[in-house]
Amino acid sequence: GINVTDFFADWINQPGYPHFHVDSISVTPSAGDYEVTVYVQQQLRGAISFANNVPINVFFRDEDWNLQSVKMTVSGQFSNQTFPVPFSPTYATLNEDEKIGDATTSDQFVIKTTGTKLFSNANFQLSVQSITDSAFVRVEHNWVSSYQGVDDPTIVVSPDRSWTIRGVDFQNMTANGIFVYNGTITSAGNLDAGLMVDYGAVLFNEDSLLLLYRADATQSWSVFPTYTLNVQANSTNKTGAITAQNLLAGEYTFGMRVYGVGINSAVKKTDIKLFPNPNDGNFKIDMGNSAKGEYVFQLYAMNGVLIAEKKTSDKQFTFSPGELANGIYYLSVLSKNKLVANMKVSVVR
């Protein structure tokens, strides 16, 4: 009596996994209870199309450790649903009961003592410096890229993975979070192989790695204010760890600063003009009084993925990278392997 068409299409007849993430919740008081709307975004790891009609359990918690579970049906990239909840939740999580085999692995513990706690399924360690009473901590390891970038065009966001850390009574605990990275292509590696690569003339070095943070998915990534980088043996073997001091609830991922310091004095940034801006994905470049020679133009998405590249000695030309989705992109201009200009491109169709 159950229609299993979507199950076979999404879970059997295509590779990979879906990933489900709570972007945000909204809470409205209603006749003594609360109407809570949950906004979920679906991503794909190795899959071809978004899953539809997926029954997944939502777990609400508040500051008094109250817990409520409801079932939500998720379809396509974006879903939302409103539920009555007898308390005002501080956050919501998905699939804590692990009834869906999605692209998330997680652990959760009640923390009562100091010391190091290993969240092995989440590839995370919690080093508790002090604890008053107890705290609840849940860590989700998201096996997908982050779908929102940073405002700083010199930072690439990891295309590989991120972490979501939620809990109750975080204020009772002073702790550090340890994120181990591995960009090798060995059988034990490949966790960060997509991030730890050369970016044009910028060669990979672990000293350029960053720990990025945002409170939730409605925000852009920014550099976490207090962390230490341990490159272990050397800064090019792609293994080590980043420790976040005074861990906060929120989302974390690795990033890399990819543009070298210093601007080539032979070209002034103001000499290069890009127009129109905003545009429909096709725009003109005027090099102005820039020095003669070949330049490399690289168009990046906000997550650091290279969209298009063009090499030319022309003083004026049209850059047509193909059909682009609406959004913000960054155009980098290099001369003799040095960054000479970096411009924001706004695409509006």
Side-chain angles (χ1 to χ4, degrees):
I2 299 175
N3 189 326
V4 294
T5 301
D6 288 325
F7 172 77
F8 274 86
D10 300 332
W11 300 88
I12 305 300
N13 295 328
Q14 70 166 338
Y17 302 87
H19 175 271
F20 306 102
H21 188 277
V22 176
D23 277 356
S24 62
I25 63 172
S26 64
V27 182
T28 305
S30 177
D33 288 334
Y34 298 86
E35 296 291 323
V36 183
T37 302
V38 182
Y39 298 89
V40 173
Q41 182 165 174
Q42 181 182 166
Q43 290 178 266
L44 303 177
R45 180 179 175 87
I48 299 170
S49 59
F50 292 115
N52 292 301
N53 294 313
V54 179
I56 189 168
N57 288 333
V58 184
F59 295 81
F60 300 105
R61 282 186 173 83
D62 70 359
E63 296 178 351
D64 296 321
W65 296 61
N66 291 311
L67 174 65
Q68 173 92 1
S69 175
V70 297
K71 182 176 288 187
M72 179 178 182
T73 301
V74 176
S75 291
Q77 184 175 7
F78 299 101
S79 301
N80 68 81
Q81 195 168 339
T82 302
F83 305 94
V85 180
F87 53 83
S88 178
T90 54
Y91 71 92
T93 60
L94 301 173
N95 199 34
E96 286 191 15
D97 49 5
E98 298 184 350
K99 291 186 175 181
I100 297 295
D102 62 351
T104 305
T105 52
S106 60
D107 287 301
Q108 58 189 44
F109 298 103
V110 176
I111 307 298
K112 295 184 178 181
T113 60
T114 59
T116 301
K117 188 68 176 179
L118 180 62
F119 291 67
S120 56
N121 291 323
N123 293 297
F124 176 79
Q125 297 178 48
L126 185 72
S127 178
V128 182
Q129 315 300 308
S130 65
I131 182 73
T132 303
D133 193 4
S134 58
F136 175 78
V137 179
R138 175 176 173 83
V139 182
E140 298 173 348
H141 185 277
N142 308 304
W143 295 89
V144 292
S145 62
S146 305
Y147 45 81
Q148 189 168 353
V150 292
D151 296 329
D152 186 343
T154 69
I155 295 176
V156 171
V157 178
S158 170
D160 304 300
R161 55 181 178 148
S162 66
W163 290 263
T164 303
I165 301 177
R166 300 292 181 213
V168 182
D169 284 341
F170 255 73
Q171 71 277 5
N172 293 346
M173 176 182 66
T174 301
N176 298 335
I178 303 171
F179 304 86
V180 176
Y181 59 83
N182 191 329
T184 65
I185 55 174
T186 64
S187 59
N190 285 307
L191 299 179
D192 303 295
L195 175 68
M196 299 184 183
V197 297
D198 298 336
Y199 292 86
V202 181
L203 303 181
F204 170 77
N205 191 293
E206 292 172 41
D207 292 338
S208 298
L209 289 176
L210 305 169
L211 181 64
L212 304 180
Y213 170 82
R214 64 186 182 187
D216 56 46
T218 64
Q219 300 181 0
S220 295
W221 293 105
S222 61
V223 179
F224 192 72
T226 53
Y227 71 89
T228 56
L229 174 66
N230 181 359
V231 301
Q232 296 184 356
N234 59 67
S235 61
T236 58
N237 68 352
K238 301 185 179 182
T239 59
I242 296 180
T243 300
Q245 285 86 29
N246 299 318
L247 188 76
L248 302 173
E251 301 185 6
Y252 295 81
T253 191
F254 296 134
M256 181 177 170
R257 198 172 295 280
V258 298
Y259 300 128
V261 296
I263 298 296
N264 186 352
S265 60
V267 178
K268 297 180 180 180
K269 183 177 179 180
T270 53
D271 288 340
I272 304 174
K273 296 180 181 179
L274 182 156
F275 60 94
N277 201 17
N279 55 71
D280 62 359
N282 301 288
F283 49 89
K284 297 182 182 297
I285 298 292
D286 187 334
M287 299 300 293
N289 296 321
S290 303
K292 294 181 180 180
E294 184 179 70
Y295 290 86
V296 180
F297 297 82
Q298 297 175 333
L299 187 69
Y300 289 90
M302 285 192 68
N303 63 358
V305 174
L306 180 64
I307 301 296
E309 182 177 271
K310 182 180 180 66
K311 298 179 181 180
T312 182
S313 301
D314 296 341
K315 301 289 285 186
Q316 294 182 340
F317 63 93
T318 298
F319 200 136
S320 300
E323 186 171 344
L324 299 176
N326 289 349
I328 301 298
Y329 299 81
Y330 293 98
L331 181 70
S332 297
V333 186
L334 297 95
S335 173
K336 298 179 181 178
N337 290 332
K338 291 184 178 180
L339 179 72
V340 298
N342 200 30
M343 294 170 281
K344 183 182 291 187
V345 180
S346 179
V347 174
V348 179
R349 293 184 176 277

